[in-house]
Amino acid sequence: MGARPAESLTRLLVWNYALAHERTLKVVEDLSNEQFARPLHRSVHSIGWQLWHIARWDDRFAEILLENLPDLARDHGPARQLWKEESIGERWGFPVGNMGLRDTGTDMKDEDADHLSLPSKPEVVDYARRAFAFADEIAGSLTDSLILMETPRDPDHESVGQNLMYWMDHVNRHLGMMEAMKGQLGLTGSAT
C-alpha cells in the first residue's frame, strides 16, 4: 500500500478501496489448497469462491468505469474485463453464461455455486491480484470532479463516488465472511 496519499475525499476513497483489496489477498495467504476450496455449508461458499466473486465484480467495475468515463478510457484504453479478455472462465472450465448475474456468481443457485470447481489456489489468487490491480489503477485515476458526477447510464442516478463506495463495501462484506470462515477453520481470521 505504501504511504497514505495527500488527503482529499477522492484519494481517501481510492486508498481505502485498494486497502480492502490488499486485506482480501492477505487473508488467503496462509490457507492450504483444501482450506481455500472447502465450503463450510451449502449456502456458505468456500473462501476461494468468495475471493473469485469479489475479483469478478471488481473486474466488472473497472469495465463500467471505462465504459462510462471517456477521460479514463483515453488514459487506460477501451472498456474491458480481464475475465473476458483472457477467456478465464473457459480456461477454468466454468459454465460461462450460467453463473448468475453477469457471470459473477451473484444470484447463482447455491448448488450450482458449490459445484464450481475452482482451479488451484495460486491461479485464483493470481486472477484476483490482477483484477484488483486493474480496478485500483482505474479508480486511482478518478478526480474530485469525476467522483461527484452522476455515473452516466446509471439506472439509479448514483454518483461515481457512490458506486465506488458500493464496491468497496462489497469487498469488505465478503472479506468479513472470509475472516469468519477462517476462524471456523480454527485459524486466525483477521487480515489486520
Side-chain angles (χ1 to χ4, degrees):
M1 276 296 325
R4 184 175 291 171
E7 289 191 8
S8 74
L9 291 178
T10 302
R11 292 303 101 209
L12 287 171
L13 282 173
V14 168
W15 185 83
N16 278 282
Y17 183 55
L19 179 62
H21 289 146
E22 179 182 296
R23 288 177 173 165
T24 301
L25 291 168
K26 181 177 174 146
V27 84
V28 301
E29 284 178 351
D30 62 342
L31 295 174
S32 69
N33 286 323
E34 194 273 328
Q35 291 165 328
F36 183 77
R38 180 173 33 139
L40 295 183
H41 183 273
R42 187 176 79 79
S43 64
V44 181
H45 313 308
S46 71
I47 293 172
W49 189 95
Q50 304 293 328
L51 179 64
W52 164 77
H53 171 73
I54 298 167
R56 276 296 295 123
W57 270 119
D58 285 7
D59 199 0
R60 172 65 180 134
F61 178 54
E63 180 182 48
I64 289 168
L65 289 174
L66 292 171
E67 284 173 348
N68 292 307
L69 301 173
D71 291 347
L72 296 185
R74 272 192 295 280
D75 293 340
H76 298 282
R80 65 199 179 281
Q81 291 179 42
L82 300 174
W83 184 258
K84 290 181 177 179
E85 196 173 64
E86 299 175 12
S87 302
I88 294 171
E90 291 83 357
R91 277 197 344 249
W92 289 2
F94 279 15
V96 174
N98 295 300
M99 296 184 303
L101 183 63
R102 293 188 174 89
D103 263 2
T104 62
T106 296
D107 295 333
M108 213 175 164
K109 291 181 182 174
D110 287 334
E111 309 81 55
D112 294 339
D114 285 341
H115 286 99
L116 280 182
S117 182
L118 291 170
S120 69
K121 175 186 164 188
E123 196 166 347
V124 177
V125 169
D126 177 65
Y127 167 63
R129 185 178 315 283
R130 293 182 310 108
F132 294 162
F134 179 50
D136 292 341
E137 175 188 339
I138 304 304
S141 295
L142 292 170
T143 62
D144 292 343
S145 59
L146 286 175
I147 206 90
L148 295 174
M149 71 178 268
E150 182 179 308
T151 304
R153 294 181 291 284
D154 187 291
D156 299 317
H157 306 284
E158 294 179 334
S159 70
V160 172
Q162 286 170 307
N163 278 284
L164 178 59
M165 289 183 70
Y166 172 81
W167 295 113
M168 183 171 34
D169 179 57
H170 180 255
V171 174
N172 282 314
R173 286 176 39 233
H174 283 281
L175 171 59
M177 289 178 69
M178 294 163 69
E179 290 174 326
M181 292 169 74
K182 277 186 73 175
Q184 289 294 310
L185 293 169
L187 303 169
T188 301
S190 179
T192 57

